[in-house]
Amino acid sequence: QVQLVESGGGLVKPGGSLRLSCAASGFIFSDYYMSWIRQAPGKGLEWVSYITGSGSTKYYADSVKGRFTISRDNAKNSLYLQMNSLRAEDTAVYYCARKQRGMAVGFDSWGQGTLVTVSS
Amino acid sequence: DIQMTQSPSSLSASVGDRVAIPCRASQRISNYLSWYQQRPGKAPKLLIYAASSLQSGVPSRFSGSGSGTDFTLTISSLQPEDFATYYCQQSYSTPWTFGQGTKVEV
């Protein structure tokens, strides 16, 4: 079955960096767009970034553009999010999610999430 | 950016009720609309995609309707496990945006 497992979260000081990973299994990883989506404590969902199956195209929310970098290693079935210049407002649970193939589709598989806390 | 508006932010209902949760887009998005359910402490779960297509494994009491700017998620007969927060999300254009959520409470 499809499984997504995030790791790499933790406590980091403002201005610091962190790299999140998402290990995928149970499907042909390179066939799917993947995204990072976050949720601040007690708040709603915010899409952060996506990457195409080949990794050739990436998009970012304005709130993270220039600070976060999404990447993937299809040989390792892994998705990454490099987060630099972290701010208190980046504190959230970060989910990796698989986008269904096709048009007008949604995120059909999600990891359990990893908590990132930015605080001095 | 396309803004997704969900109002109300919460609603009260009872087991067996028919519940309708609205979502409005700030511009036309055709049928590029998905619905998710999130229970406390859990990851979101896809219920509906393409505005009205039921995701595999989701009970048939869930249905979606709408096109353009106005959409609705309907639960035909609310079950105890359906008390949760529901989010709409557009994938018409980046940034892909979510509504702020509607919490269905007892």
Side-chain angles (χ1 to χ4, degrees):
Chain A
Q1 73 282 17
V2 174
Q3 192 169 14
L4 299 171
V5 179
E6 302 95 336
S7 60
L11 175 63
V12 61
K13 289 180 168 54
S17 297
L18 213 53
R19 189 195 196 206
L20 305 184
S21 299
C22 172
S25 59
F27 64 103
I28 302 174
F29 183 64
S30 58
D31 281 354
Y32 290 84
Y33 286 28
M34 298 294 295
S35 267
W36 289 98
I37 296 162
R38 68 184 181 183
Q39 187 169 36
K43 302 297 185 183
L45 299 167
E46 180 188 15
W47 170 79
V48 171
S49 179
Y50 90 74
I51 186 169
T52 55
S54 66
S56 60
T57 302
K58 308 169 186 180
Y59 279 98
Y60 300 93
D62 285 347
S63 57
V64 306
K65 201 174 296 182
R67 300 187 299 122
F68 290 11
T69 302
I70 192 171
S71 62
R72 65 192 298 159
D73 184 336
N74 287 340
K76 295 183 178 180
N77 290 339
S78 292
L79 176 72
Y80 306 102
L81 186 68
Q82 177 66 42
M83 304 186 295
N84 298 331
S85 303
L86 282 161
R87 306 166 181 167
E89 54 265 36
D90 296 318
T91 293
V93 173
Y94 285 73
Y95 296 100
C96 69
R98 184 182 83 166
K99 198 165 194 293
Q100 292 172 300
R101 299 178 70 182
M103 305 295 287
V105 293
F107 300 107
D108 65 346
S109 296
W110 297 63
Q112 84 288 353
T114 188
L115 177 62
V116 172
T117 303
V118 184
S119 174
S120 55
Chain B
D1 297 0
I2 298 174
Q3 309 302 317
M4 306 302 295
T5 301
Q6 290 184 249
S7 181
S9 58
S10 66
L11 63 88
S12 297
S14 301
V15 172
D17 284 354
R18 182 180 182 87
V19 173
I21 300 171
C23 172
R24 174 166 286 179
S26 61
Q27 63 188 73
R28 295 184 67 84
I29 59 170
S30 184
N31 67 335
Y32 284 66
L33 193 284
S34 299
W35 287 97
Y36 302 86
Q37 176 194 66
Q38 187 177 34
R39 298 189 178 106
K42 300 294 186 182
K45 173 187 174 183
L46 178 65
L47 301 175
I48 300 286
Y49 64 94
S52 60
S53 296
L54 190 68
Q55 173 67 1
S56 176
V58 174
S60 58
R61 63 180 180 273
F62 291 93
S63 64
S65 62
S67 183
T69 61
D70 291 295
F71 303 87
T72 303
L73 173 70
T74 301
I75 310 171
S76 60
S77 177
L78 199 65
Q79 298 302 299
E81 60 269 29
D82 300 337
F83 290 97
T85 301
Y86 294 85
Y87 295 92
C88 61
Q89 177 249 328
Q90 65 82 18
S91 56
Y92 185 79
S93 66
T94 54
W96 297 331
T97 42
F98 290 86
Q100 71 271 37
T102 295
K103 186 175 183 179
V104 177
E105 302 175 299
V106 176

